[in-house]
């Protein structure tokens, strides 16, 4: 069996589970449509520069986790590690740079070369949305509220929304200096990663998970007060809109997010049902630069990890089981009956019924066993005798009662009985 395992960090999704995935995708599409979002499907791979420039060269994702390869034409391509950069590339073909709003959502596989664990995959799946082209705190709040609405709709209670502001680029100088001055006195006691971050990506020290670093971070100065009045006001208006919408949040000054494109609002939704990897969704407002573009694309959005949403549903016991619709099972006794049943199956399937039938010569008993295994609620039995008389025996599996139905009414009866 070992050879049949897919590569580490990936998974096969069998029909029973796939039905659940579809239901989740459908629930998201349904909620998002109410807010005016339509689906955008972009390629699974992009030119590598789209992510290098879009996410920022200093991000962990770009430095350590991308699946990058050269195609036969010598182009450097990368399997998308997230959805936002590719979506922005696609939206350059619209008027977003001129302030025309686009509301799009996407779902599908993303790829990051991380160490696999429960809830952390190398091929994982996101449901994400992007509201692009306009800048307003109310849009940030509406986007967050829509995420909470989706969680509610799929039965996830007890999720915690954490929110913070990254300010704008101009704020990073003064606010960053405050942090730098403080961390400079502690850098020798930080973890090796944070010692590198101190030089190259100072803000990421704030969300280091190492106990030693967390203790240092706990004493960090209030950098938010060094932001411009506009940035502080922007954040206050996001919070006021969330209050108006009745969305509960926790302000978390250690939340910086792992991608470099964020400005102003950043947020994450966590759930204790997940254990270690506890973010089920994350997002924020961004200014994303693409190759050959001097102006950034501005938007706000989020992505939720589908595997993690389902793990939380499992922890909460909210997911319904997903059995397929029970089929009607056609039992054929003899080859003439089998041909007739093949035709009947085709006709019933066109009428929307799920149908299963045995195609080999098997005894009545064996076929009834298959019908049971398939979960059939109705079985149709036909042999030479029935064919001659122009009838079929229809058996209700729950009650066990049998009736003879004339052929001309059979399709109708079986369609209505569903
Ligand atoms: P992210 O925080 O990197 O943000 O990912 C969003 C969500 O994807 C996470 O909260 C988590 O649920 C899921 N996720 C991430 N990595 C993995 C993994 N290795 N295995 C399983 N699930 C994972 C983004 O990707 C941004 N593009 C979100 C965004 C959209 N920001 C603005 N617009």
């Amino acid at each position: 069996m070992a050879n049949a395992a897919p590569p580490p960090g990936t998974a096969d999704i069998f029909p029973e589970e796939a039905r659940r995935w579809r239901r989740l995708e459908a629930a998201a599409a349904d909620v998002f449509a109410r807010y005016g979002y339509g689906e955008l499907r972009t390629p699974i791979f992009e030119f590598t520069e789209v992510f290098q420039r879009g996410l920022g060269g200093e991000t962990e994702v770009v430095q350590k986790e991308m699946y990058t390869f050269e195609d036969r034409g010598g182009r450097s391509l990368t399997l998308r590690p997230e959805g936002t950069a590719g979506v922005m590339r696609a939206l350059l073909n619209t008027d977003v740079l001129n302030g025309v709003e686009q509301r799009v959502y996407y779902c599908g596989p993303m790829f990051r070369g991380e160490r696999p664990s429960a809830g952390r995959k190398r091929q994982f799946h996101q449901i994400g949305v992007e509201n692009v082209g306009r800048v307003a705190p109310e849009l940030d709040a509406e986007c967050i509220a829509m995420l909470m609405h989706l969680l509610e709709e799929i039965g996830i209670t007890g999720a915690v929304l954490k929110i913070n502001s990254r300010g704008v680029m101009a704020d990073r100088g003064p606010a960053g200096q405050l942090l730098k001055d403080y961390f400079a006195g502690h850098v020798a006691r930080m973890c090796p990663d944070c010692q590198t971050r101190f030089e190259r990506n100072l803000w990421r020290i704030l969300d280091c998970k190492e106990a030693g670093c967390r203790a240092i971070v706990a004493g960090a100065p209030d950098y938010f007060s060094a932001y411009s009045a506009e940035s502080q006001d922007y954040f206050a208006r996001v919070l006021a809109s969330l209050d108006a919408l009745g969305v509960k949040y926790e302000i978390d000054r250690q939340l910086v997010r792992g991608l470099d494109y964020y400005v102003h609002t950043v947020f994450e939704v966590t759930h204790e049902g997940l254990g270690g990897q506890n973010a089920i969704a994350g997002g924020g407002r961004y200014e994303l630069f693409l190759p050959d573009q001097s102006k950034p694309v501005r938007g706000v959005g989020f992505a939720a990890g589908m595997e993690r949403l389902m793990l939380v549903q499992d922890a909460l016991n909210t997911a319904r089981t997903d059995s397929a619709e029970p089929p009607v099972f056609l039992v054929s006794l003899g080859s003439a009956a089998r041909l007739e049943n093949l035709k009947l199956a085709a006709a019933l399937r066109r009428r929307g019924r799920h149908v299963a039938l045995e195609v080999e010569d098997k005894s009545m008993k064996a076929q009834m066993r298959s019908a049971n295994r398939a979960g059939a609620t109705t079985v149709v039995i036909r042999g030479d005798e029935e064919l001659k008389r122009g009838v079929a025996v229809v058996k209700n599996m729950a009650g066990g009662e049998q009736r003879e139905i004339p052929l001309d009414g059979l399709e109708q009866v079986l369609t209505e009985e569903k």
Side-chain angles (χ1 to χ4, degrees):
M1 285 300 276
N3 286 343
T10 68
D12 302 309
I13 299 161
F14 278 78
E16 181 117 349
E17 215 192 322
R19 277 190 288 276
R20 190 174 167 196
W21 285 68
R22 282 198 167 236
R23 209 179 63 225
L24 185 54
E25 287 165 3
D30 182 40
V31 170
F32 299 160
R34 293 181 230 171
Y35 293 75
Y37 287 77
E39 186 179 11
L40 177 62
R41 300 187 185 209
T42 63
I44 295 221
F45 55 81
E46 296 276 350
F47 289 119
T48 302
E49 307 93 80
V50 169
F51 302 116
Q52 270 168 346
R53 181 117 207 265
L55 315 190
E58 287 301 325
T59 57
E60 209 153 273
V61 171
V62 169
Q63 287 203 335
K64 297 192 202 150
E65 297 173 356
M66 295 207 303
Y67 285 97
T68 297
F69 59 98
E70 203 171 273
D71 75 357
R72 286 162 201 266
R75 288 169 283 258
S76 178
L77 301 173
T78 294
L79 298 183
R80 62 185 187 194
E82 58 99 62
T84 311
V87 166
M88 295 310 115
R89 185 214 32 79
L91 291 181
L92 282 183
N93 297 306
T94 71
D95 250 347
V96 286
L97 287 181
N98 300 321
V100 178
E101 186 179 337
Q102 292 282 338
R103 295 182 170 221
V104 297
Y105 78 88
Y106 49 90
C107 51
M110 308 288 161
F111 305 85
R112 295 184 193 175
E114 299 191 83
R115 180 139 21 105
S117 63
R120 203 206 277 136
K121 293 266 182 290
R122 290 182 174 164
Q123 174 174 330
F124 59 99
H125 299 76
Q126 285 185 343
I127 295 178
V129 311
E130 312 292 350
N131 179 319
V132 193
R134 291 171 62 202
V135 182
E138 291 74 13
L139 291 176
D140 302 24
E142 187 195 57
C143 184
I144 294 170
M146 181 169 76
L147 168 59
M148 302 319 276
H149 181 177
L150 171 63
L151 296 180
E152 193 183 301
E153 213 60 24
I154 60 174
I156 293 186
T157 51
V160 175
L161 168 66
K162 297 188 172 157
I163 189 166
N164 192 18
S165 170
R166 299 294 331 265
V168 290
M169 291 307 162
D171 297 321
R172 305 268 168 96
Q177 195 56 49
L178 266 184
L179 290 176
K180 188 136 203 161
D181 292 345
Y182 169 73
F183 287 138
H186 299 86
V187 66
R189 288 187 292 116
M190 290 181 182
C191 75
D193 279 347
C194 281
Q195 294 188 350
T196 314
R197 288 178 187 134
F198 182 75
E199 299 302 333
R200 297 174 57 169
N201 205 351
L202 184 83
W203 292 84
R204 288 308 305 271
I205 295 176
L206 289 173
D207 68 357
C208 180
K209 302 285 176 283
E210 295 285 326
C213 300
R214 288 172 72 101
I216 296 168
V217 165
D222 167 24
Y223 61 82
F224 181 76
S225 58
Y227 285 176
S228 67
E230 286 88 341
S231 293
Q232 295 192 25
D233 180 55
Y234 191 99
F235 191 58
R237 286 173 59 193
V238 173
L239 299 186
S241 302
L242 288 175
D243 290 338
L245 289 165
V247 175
K248 301 246 177 325
Y249 51 82
E250 287 175 11
I251 296 171
D252 179 357
R253 294 290 176 219
Q254 288 161 25
L255 179 68
V256 290
R257 308 262 309 130
L259 304 162
D260 276 358
Y261 49 56
Y262 291 110
V263 294
H264 289 306
T265 321
V266 286
F267 56 92
E268 239 165 46
V269 174
T270 59
H271 199 284
E272 59 179 11
L274 269 185
Q277 301 297 323
N278 64 0
I280 44 181
R285 175 158 289 284
Y286 47 83
E287 291 180 358
L288 192 146
F289 284 90
L290 287 161
D292 308 320
Q293 296 290 323
S294 54
K295 273 170 78 177
V297 195
R298 296 171 206 277
V300 60
F302 64 78
M306 291 184 69
E307 287 84 355
R308 294 191 189 175
L309 290 173
M310 287 186 267
L311 282 172
V312 172
Q313 286 182 322
D314 289 343
L316 292 170
N317 266 324
T318 51
R320 278 173 283 150
T321 50
D322 280 284
S323 30
E325 187 183 311
V328 55
F329 195 98
L330 311 184
V331 170
S332 319
L333 303 168
S335 54
R338 192 154 59 236
L339 264 190
E340 287 306 312
N341 275 346
L342 271 180
K343 280 177 12 195
L344 177 61
L348 289 175
R349 286 167 178 153
R350 279 197 172 69
R351 286 171 173 256
R353 279 231 64 166
H354 294 211
V355 184
L357 75 168
E358 177 51 61
V359 292
E360 284 183 86
D361 249 336
K362 294 260 170 80
S363 70
M364 170 86 173
K365 209 167 144 200
Q367 293 191 58
M368 289 308 286
R369 249 198 323 266
S370 303
N372 265 320
R373 216 177 301 125
T377 45
T378 309
V379 172
V380 177
I381 304 160
R382 296 207 280 185
D384 292 342
E385 176 60 27
E386 284 74 20
L387 290 188
K388 215 181 312 152
R389 293 179 31 227
V391 296
V393 174
V394 175
K395 178 169 181 170
N396 177 311
M397 295 297 270
E401 69 274 10
Q402 291 191 180
R403 315 172 270 168
E404 263 190 12
I405 310 273
L407 283 190
D408 53 7
L410 187 60
E411 281 183 31
Q412 191 67 30
V413 166
L414 291 173
T415 315
E416 281 165 4
E417 265 190 3
K418 190 164 143 177

